[in-house]
Amino acid sequence: LAQAFRRQGGHGGLLLQSLPGLARMVATVVCSDAVAQGPLRCLVVDCGGVTNEDAGMKRTFRRRLPEDRADALFKVAKSRWNVIKVDPAASKESFWSSVSAEAGVDRAFLDDTDAEILETLRTSFPETLDVLKRAKGRGIVLGIISNHVNFWFQECSASAGLADLVVPELTLVSNEVGCCKPSVSIFELFLERLKSLHPDIQPSECAFVDDKKENVDAAVSVGFRGVVWDARKSEPGELEGALTSIGLVLG
């Protein structure tokens, strides 16, 4: 895929963009102007939309209910999700029980829905995993920062082999650490853990990949380089091209 780069106005970013004649943007690369563009030594990725599919609750509800009922149920579930995603005490039982009670939906229906969600979460994206494996083989330190709950994240991890790529200390799941993106707190926590394991790696030598720009902007604000990229909307080679442009050497 032929690609070109142009400067984004006002915030020191770069936009990885198809050449004329190709219709869509493929990836946004964001770096502070103050960051020296040397080789990357640490690559951190999101889970949903980057290594694995997200839970897709709304889509699942709509497949199983009339649209108006599905959307009302999703509104309740999303509200509860926003609470448990930063609650270390959260459990699958407490989540679905609270949704059932508030929405007046049979718990057996929600258990069936959960089984479908688990199948969705087990979908992983080969291009991302290939880049991660090759980076690890080149000595790049890998990390994960994900707004997730552990009882669902473990399905993603098992299907994609994430535990074989990333050490537990650098796997930050929001409900386990009690904070979430786009707060800078979760990125600062990652950098603290990184420093304890690899004291010589600087924030400017780290890159973060996420499908949401506000999350990448938060990472860049504490020194990371960033790539906004969605595996579900990409063409082959886009992720590697964007990372190569900001210093990842895969050989």
Side-chain angles (χ1 to χ4, degrees):
L1 177 66
Q3 295 168 334
F5 295 89
R6 68 176 173 83
R7 177 72 57 177
Q8 284 196 104
H11 69 278
L14 287 170
L15 184 65
L16 178 62
Q17 186 182 44
S18 302
L19 286 173
L22 296 179
R24 62 183 186 83
M25 182 195 69
V26 291
T28 306
V29 176
V30 185
C31 297
S32 166
D33 287 330
V35 173
Q37 294 297 295
L40 285 174
R41 301 177 63 195
C42 177
L43 174 59
V44 187
V45 296
D46 181 27
C47 178
V50 178
T51 66
N52 292 71
E53 262 292 0
D54 59 27
M57 282 193 293
K58 189 172 188 176
R59 297 190 302 271
T60 302
F61 291 149
R62 283 187 169 186
R63 282 194 294 268
R64 310 185 76 224
L65 291 170
E67 186 173 315
D68 58 341
R69 292 180 60 197
D71 290 352
L73 177 55
F74 174 72
K75 184 177 180 180
V76 172
K78 184 66 173 179
S79 175
R80 295 307 306 161
W81 159 258
N82 286 333
V83 173
I84 71 166
K85 72 181 180 183
V86 291
D87 179 6
S91 67
K92 182 183 292 192
E93 172 65 27
S94 64
F95 172 63
W96 285 125
S97 292
S98 64
V99 172
S100 176
E102 186 173 343
V105 175
D106 183 69
R107 178 58 193 268
F109 172 85
L110 294 175
D111 288 341
D112 289 343
T113 299
D114 184 77
E116 189 170 337
I117 288 172
L118 294 181
E119 281 299 314
T120 301
L121 292 170
R122 294 183 189 115
T123 301
S124 58
F125 301 120
E127 179 177 357
T128 311
L129 300 180
D130 177 66
V131 167
L132 292 175
K133 290 171 184 175
R134 290 164 59 204
K136 187 177 179 71
R138 300 282 295 186
I140 305 297
V141 175
L142 301 181
I144 295 172
I145 300 176
S146 180
N147 287 356
H148 229 308
V149 286
N150 189 57
F151 56 79
W152 281 347
F153 176 79
Q154 290 307 317
E155 296 292 330
C156 300
S157 180
S159 69
L162 299 180
D164 296 327
L165 296 170
V166 185
V167 298
E169 295 88 343
L170 299 181
T171 302
L172 273 61
V173 178
S174 63
N175 98 293
E176 292 185 334
V177 299
C179 55
C180 66
K181 303 171 292 183
S183 168
V184 298
S185 298
I186 198 165
F187 296 102
E188 291 170 341
L189 177 59
F190 179 88
L191 291 173
E192 288 175 13
R193 293 187 179 187
L194 179 66
K195 186 174 183 179
S196 70
L197 296 175
H198 303 278
D200 58 327
I201 297 181
Q202 302 302 311
S204 62
E205 297 174 302
C206 302
F208 178 62
V209 181
D210 197 291
D211 62 322
K212 296 179 177 62
K213 187 176 184 298
E214 61 267 28
N215 296 338
V216 172
D217 286 344
V220 169
S221 76
V222 296
F224 286 72
R225 308 172 204 183
V227 175
V228 183
W229 183 78
D230 190 328
R232 298 159 295 194
K233 303 174 183 178
S234 71
E235 295 290 342
E238 291 176 4
L239 177 60
E240 183 175 348
L243 290 170
T244 297
S245 76
I246 55 171
L248 182 66
V249 180
L250 292 177

